[in-house]
Amino acid sequence: MPIKSNSARAITLHTRARIAAAALGVATLLPLSAVQADAASVSTWDKVAQCETGGNWNHVQTGSPYYGGLRISFDIWGIYGGGQYATFPYQATKQQQILIAEKILAGQGEQAWRICGPAAGLGADRAVPYPVHKRSTAGVYRPSDQTFSVSDGSGNYAGSVTFGAQGDVPLTGDWNGDLRDTFGVYRPSDQSFYLSNVNGVVAVSRKLGNPGDVPVVGDWDGNGTDTIGVYRPSDQTFYLTNDNETVAHVRRMGVEGDTPMVGDWNGDGKDTVGVYRPSDTFFYLSDSNSTANVDRAVKFGNPGDVPIKGDWNGDGTDKVGVYRPAESDFFGAAKDSNTVIYNIRFGIPGDKPILGLW
């Protein structure tokens, strides 16, 4: 945990910097250019909090100068700007505590949490915990010529690239953690994923699953990159990998005839599973990949629509939607609602819908 300084009076920024250095036992403050500007994902901060306080973000211990899930001292909280959120760390939200911890990490490194920081891999994680979210925008994949075409925020054509082969299933995802979605395909003939970071050039090629499986992609562990998985319709089971190779999550959900859905339904940075049921046009969504709970049930669209998902308003959560093939119309719903908040027409009949943060 960051060490508490002994100063409780008003101090200059220069003196505050010296206190921050002294809190680490550093003789002098490093020049700004020599300080490693680290960042870490929410899941890594969760590990630090679990180690420090058992994951209690409202932690208060009598006689201790450290507060909140990450055990930040009152003085250090103030030095790094925590006062804009709350007087003490435990009075701030989890997100606010992490935002201040990011500043401490950038200034002091993982050793500010001398045991729990290194144990959680804090210094090795470069993901941004709460990135500025862009809105999902529509695109289409044309099977006849294997062309991905994308729109801008207003639904106008913004570019295209050809990728894959006849019979491939189109995919989009952030394969390298640069906060930008690019294209990929799944080849049912050999159960292989081909993913591109620079559109049109294969960067990742992996085989996963059995004949008849349906491909899914998502950020299952919250590290900022999307990885592959499959859904097995025969037993309604998801098989998800964190490294594009080893299955890390096995989760059964839904009934025969459902369509698999994955997304960050609660805004915690992790994609979790769900299904769309054509028979009743309901989306059944879970906030976890380790339980069988249906946490959200949303009815949206008409029979014959194709289920889609996206962050239609840029608030950091995925919401359900549908693509209407007859008119090439995209409809996105408000969170856990059937109210339409996104609607554009893009593509031509026969195209397959794709969504992404281009």
Side-chain angles (χ1 to χ4, degrees), residues 177-299:
D178 67 354
L179 304 180
R180 178 174 175 265
D181 289 332
T182 48
F183 305 133
V185 295
Y186 172 75
R187 194 155 293 161
S189 60
D190 61 5
Q191 300 86 59
S192 291
F193 290 78
Y194 299 94
L195 312 177
S196 170
N197 291 330
V198 178
N199 291 326
V201 179
V202 175
V204 176
S205 174
R206 294 288 187 274
K207 184 180 177 69
L208 181 72
N210 296 337
D213 288 349
V214 178
V216 294
V217 297
D219 183 0
W220 323 118
D221 60 0
N223 73 348
T225 62
D226 290 324
T227 48
I228 64 175
V230 295
Y231 174 77
R232 194 155 293 160
S234 60
D235 60 6
Q236 301 86 55
T237 301
F238 290 83
Y239 299 88
L240 313 175
T241 78
N242 290 331
D243 59 1
N244 291 323
E245 294 184 12
T246 305
V247 172
H249 305 279
V250 178
R251 168 73 189 280
R252 186 168 187 174
M253 186 175 184
V255 300
E256 187 173 358
D258 286 350
T259 300
M261 299 293 300
V262 297
D264 183 1
W265 314 120
N266 64 358
D268 68 353
K270 298 180 182 179
D271 289 322
T272 48
V273 300
V275 295
Y276 170 77
R277 193 157 295 162
S279 61
D280 60 8
T281 64
F282 260 93
F283 293 78
Y284 299 95
L285 312 174
S286 174
D287 288 337
S288 172
N289 287 324
S290 59
T291 68
N293 298 332
V294 174
D295 298 298
R296 306 165 194 277
V298 184
K299 183 176 177 65

Side-chain angles (χ1 to χ4, degrees), residues 4 8 14 30-31 34 48 53 59-60 85 152 165 181 194 196 213 221 253 263 280 289 308-309 336-338 358:
K4 177 180 182 292
H14 177 68
L30 292 175
V48 177
T53 62
H59 169 80
V60 178
Y85 300 127
D152 62 16
D181 289 332
Y194 299 94
S196 170
D213 288 349
D221 60 0
M253 186 175 184
D280 60 8
N289 287 324
I308 57 176
K309 65 88 190 277
D336 300 331
S337 167
N338 64 359
W358 319 122

Side-chain angles (χ1 to χ4, degrees), residues 82-222:
Q84 66 183 300
Y85 300 127
T87 303
F88 288 90
Y90 72 90
Q91 297 169 329
T93 67
K94 170 183 172 179
Q95 178 173 343
Q96 290 165 348
Q97 292 179 51
I98 289 176
L99 290 174
I100 296 303
E102 283 280 297
K103 296 181 179 180
I104 298 170
L105 178 63
Q108 301 186 9
E110 68 177 1
Q111 290 299 323
W113 294 266
R114 291 176 180 169
I115 295 174
C116 295
L122 193 58
D125 191 343
R126 298 294 184 269
V128 177
Y130 298 105
V132 177
H133 296 284
K134 297 186 292 184
R135 298 182 182 186
S136 298
T137 52
V140 293
Y141 173 77
R142 194 154 295 162
S144 60
D145 59 7
Q146 299 86 57
T147 297
F148 290 80
S149 298
V150 301
S151 69
D152 62 16
S154 301
N156 301 310
Y157 173 79
S160 62
V161 66
T162 299
F163 185 69
Q166 191 76 31
D168 286 349
V169 177
L171 306 170
T172 63
D174 182 359
W175 319 122
N176 62 358
D178 67 354
L179 304 180
R180 178 174 175 265
D181 289 332
T182 48
F183 305 133
V185 295
Y186 172 75
R187 194 155 293 161
S189 60
D190 61 5
Q191 300 86 59
S192 291
F193 290 78
Y194 299 94
L195 312 177
S196 170
N197 291 330
V198 178
N199 291 326
V201 179
V202 175
V204 176
S205 174
R206 294 288 187 274
K207 184 180 177 69
L208 181 72
N210 296 337
D213 288 349
V214 178
V216 294
V217 297
D219 183 0
W220 323 118
D221 60 0

Side-chain angles (χ1 to χ4, degrees), residues 316-336:
T317 65
D318 285 323
K319 276 77 71 176
V320 304
V322 295
Y323 172 74
R324 196 153 290 161
E327 297 88 10
S328 306
D329 280 337
F330 291 76
F331 298 94
K335 183 175 174 60
D336 300 331

